[in-house]
Amino acid sequence: RALEARQPHGRLVTTVEVAASILFLADPANGSTTGVCLAVDGGMHSLLLRPPGSG
């Protein structure tokens, strides 16, 4: 519960969501999508954490 509460959208990313992202990138119909770093992390990548001891 504590880990889920830390997520920006209030839950962990599911395996289905990760798989869907992989399928999107692997799909030949998306051949023009190249050199992409796709963060499937529910917003954790851009979350700014407070430094230790700051509050």
Side-chain angles (χ1 to χ4, degrees):
R1 290 180 197 238
L3 186 56
E4 287 181 343
R6 289 180 44 194
Q7 306 304 309
H9 66 329
R11 63 175 179 80
L12 297 175
V13 174
T14 68
T15 56
V16 172
E17 291 170 317
V18 173
S21 301
I22 293 168
L23 289 173
F24 171 79
L25 292 174
D27 187 336
N30 299 314
S32 292
T33 304
T34 61
V36 172
C37 178
L38 183 62
V40 184
D41 64 0
M44 290 298 290
H45 177 75
S46 59
L47 185 65
L48 299 176
L49 301 177
R50 287 182 276 167
S54 68

